[in-house]
Amino acid sequence: MKLCTIGFTKKSARKFFTTLQQSGAVRLLDVRLNNVSQLAGFAKRDDLAYFLEAICGIEYRHLPQLAPTKEILDAFKKSKGAWDQYERDFRALMKQRRIETLDRRLFDGACLLCSEDKPAQCHRRLVAEYLRENWSGVEIVHL
């Protein structure tokens, strides 16, 4: 299974949609807690769903169960918490939510979306790695 990840920050709409198209993804799984923020621009929920279908022929799904809680996010972003603590808290949350029991077919050929431009300090990478640890044959490609 190929599982891609992508962030929209610091990407033009052209770069974002071209990259997705070229990846071969069939579905975009939005793993953001808040997918309607005005700061999201072209990646705001309803606009993104439309653009994905119209430009790329890619299905859109929002999976908030793959997002950190507001408390975990606030502790990291607003309170300037340490990344390693964020990672521990979010990994514990994924384990508690048992995300590995989600339908694996949903992830096959999918791309996880979050806002961060790089995966190093983004929860989409943690989701992909957690699934790879719990499922066999998962290849992660960060776009």
Side-chain angles (χ1 to χ4, degrees):
M1 169 193 305
K2 179 180 170 184
L3 180 60
C4 296
T5 80
I6 193 169
F8 64 85
T9 303
K10 298 183 181 177
K11 286 182 183 70
S12 67
R14 178 184 301 273
K15 173 73 173 158
F16 178 82
F17 291 108
T18 300
T19 300
L20 270 176
Q21 235 174 356
Q22 292 172 347
S23 76
V26 297
R27 180 177 309 102
L28 186 115
L29 303 176
D30 187 342
V31 298
R32 296 175 291 171
L33 185 61
N34 180 10
N35 65 349
V36 293
S37 169
Q38 291 299 326
L39 300 175
F42 66 82
K44 201 165 129 184
R45 179 191 60 213
D46 295 338
D47 293 335
L48 181 58
Y50 170 77
F51 292 138
L52 285 168
E53 178 60 35
I55 297 169
C56 306
I58 294 176
E59 175 189 358
Y60 172 84
R61 290 268 193 99
H62 184 220
L63 294 179
Q65 65 267 42
L66 299 181
T69 62
K70 184 177 182 328
E71 293 75 25
I72 291 173
L73 272 174
D74 286 350
F76 179 64
K77 293 199 177 214
K78 291 183 180 176
S79 300
K80 308 252 189 266
W83 172 255
D84 59 334
Q85 184 62 51
Y86 175 90
E87 190 168 338
R88 279 193 301 277
D89 292 346
F90 185 59
R91 282 186 171 277
L93 180 64
M94 289 188 289
K95 186 174 183 170
Q96 176 190 351
R97 289 177 175 172
R98 302 186 63 229
I99 70 165
E100 69 276 6
T101 64
L102 292 169
D103 188 346
R104 184 181 166 123
R105 293 172 296 186
L106 183 63
F107 294 84
D108 195 12
C111 185
L112 303 178
L113 169 80
C114 197
S115 60
E116 300 296 328
D117 63 325
K118 304 277 188 231
Q121 287 196 345
C122 184
H123 79 281
R124 71 180 186 269
R125 175 184 61 83
L126 301 177
V127 170
E129 289 174 356
Y130 182 90
L131 293 175
R132 181 176 61 196
E133 291 162 10
N134 287 276
W135 295 341
S136 62
V138 176
E139 173 195 3
I140 300 170
V141 179
H142 299 293
L143 304 176

